[in-house]
Amino acid sequence: MARSGTGREIVVGIDPLDPSVPTLAWAADEGDRRNLSLRLVLAVPPPHDTRHMGSAPRLTSLRARGREALESAGETVFRLSPGLRVVTELVDGRPAAVLCRRSAVHARMVVVGSRRLSTPAEILGTRSVAAPLSAHADCPVVVVRAPESTADLSARLVVGVDGSESSRQALRFAFEEAGLRRAPVHAVQVWQRPALTPAGEESGREECARLLAATVAEWSADRPDVRCTREIRRGHPVEELARASAGALGVVVGRRGRGGYTGMRLGSVTHGLLHRAECPVVTVPGGS
């Protein structure tokens, strides 16, 4: 079973081509909230052809640009949160692989931005980070596609529930995060089962409601300070969770669940939300 994030650092992936202030702001706020230091990691991918005579100067140039990006990111974090401890790290390697290794060592979570690449580029491209990292990291991964909603004081954390072990871990994370933020949790289960008769539909909804209530009850008992609402929706999980997360602080989903949120290796719902959600997406590893 993958661990759910017990390290003492928040690892932040830095993209020299697309510096993301919202990503750094999210990570800095989380570091302050959890009293954790930030590790800013920039990975320099290898040139396509290491045998070519021009590859060495190109690599040197990439490293120099990487150092400048790290320095700029560190200065941004200092402006956002002067008291936060920050470590910077320049590493050779493919970004997703480097960040996955860091997730297994000392990370409570890994935070990255998203370039909103097309689906083929996100899966197959060498620059892809968000999808492969969310699929393989050993701790929660936060992808900041858009800033969280802070204007609405009633903003909540949305979490997808499907009865799997991974969704239990997603709920655990959501309750923990909501407690730190003094925000409510909104647990959503999406029902895709076709209804053959009105009686069958009613029975199916009752079964979903029982499953959702039972899954939520465990963490509600542990965190009575966190208010939690529940909702059953019918439709496609990606579409319904994206709608439910409009204006949310974030949407939290489990990885490798055995229920309705499985599909591709990453999970069809998680992958869809990385492209559709208009708030940060948190992927939490669970049981295999």
Side-chain angles (χ1 to χ4, degrees):
M1 179 182 293
R3 67 185 181 86
S4 57
T6 57
R8 298 303 304 167
E9 293 182 338
I10 294 174
V11 172
V12 187
I14 304 299
D15 183 350
L17 299 179
D18 185 21
S20 172
V21 174
T23 300
L24 291 171
W26 197 100
D29 285 346
E30 196 70 7
D32 284 335
R33 205 173 280 121
R34 294 176 178 265
N35 193 27
L36 299 174
S37 60
L38 261 57
R39 178 176 293 270
L40 309 182
V41 178
L42 191 148
V44 180
H48 294 300
D49 185 0
T50 57
R51 296 170 298 177
H52 195 276
M53 291 183 60
S55 63
R58 173 170 157 72
L59 187 58
T60 299
S61 174
L62 289 174
R63 287 171 178 159
R65 196 161 69 184
R67 282 190 290 271
E68 292 175 1
L70 273 176
E71 182 178 353
S72 176
E75 291 172 352
T76 298
V77 172
F78 180 77
R79 290 195 298 271
L80 293 168
S81 182
L84 198 60
R85 180 176 179 270
V86 178
V87 176
T88 61
E89 187 178 6
L90 186 71
V91 188
D92 288 336
R94 298 191 184 281
V98 167
L99 292 172
C100 276
R101 288 196 294 271
R102 295 299 179 275
S103 76
V105 179
H106 40 48
R108 178 70 62 87
M109 65 183 68
V110 180
V111 183
V112 295
S114 172
R115 295 178 182 169
R116 304 192 183 206
L117 300 176
S118 65
T119 298
E122 188 74 24
I123 297 173
L124 302 175
T126 58
R127 289 164 39 189
S128 173
V129 175
L133 181 62
S134 297
H136 299 292
D138 287 330
C139 66
V141 174
V142 184
V143 178
V144 183
R145 274 194 54 180
E148 64 188 32
S149 175
T150 55
D152 185 356
L153 296 179
S154 65
R156 56 197 181 178
L157 279 164
V158 174
V159 56
V161 179
D162 66 0
S164 66
E165 172 60 24
S166 63
S167 74
R168 288 183 64 255
Q169 294 304 317
L171 264 173
R172 179 202 59 76
F173 181 95
F175 269 86
E176 176 186 295
E177 186 72 15
L180 292 170
R181 293 169 176 263
R182 298 181 180 177
V185 168
H186 186 57
V188 178
Q189 179 158 343
V190 182
W191 185 34
Q192 292 182 283
R193 192 181 311 170
L196 299 179
T197 65
E201 179 172 358
E202 183 62 29
S203 175
R205 287 187 65 86
E206 290 176 358
E207 180 183 345
C208 285
R210 286 194 296 270
L211 175 62
L212 181 59
T215 307
V216 168
E218 175 184 359
W219 302 113
S220 291
D222 288 344
R223 294 301 303 259
D225 57 311
V226 176
R227 184 169 64 87
C228 181
T229 55
R230 305 190 302 265
E231 182 181 11
I232 302 291
R233 289 182 174 230
R234 181 167 177 179
H236 192 283
V238 172
E239 295 177 0
E240 295 305 321
L241 286 174
R243 289 191 187 103
S245 66
L249 294 170
V251 55
V252 186
V253 288
R255 192 185 75 207
R256 292 197 292 264
R258 292 174 296 173
Y261 299 162
T262 57
M264 300 180 305
R265 185 167 186 177
L266 170 58
S268 57
V269 168
T270 304
H271 191 271
L273 286 173
L274 290 178
H275 291 270
R276 297 273 308 266
E278 295 299 328
C279 65
V281 177
V282 184
T283 306
V284 180
S288 57

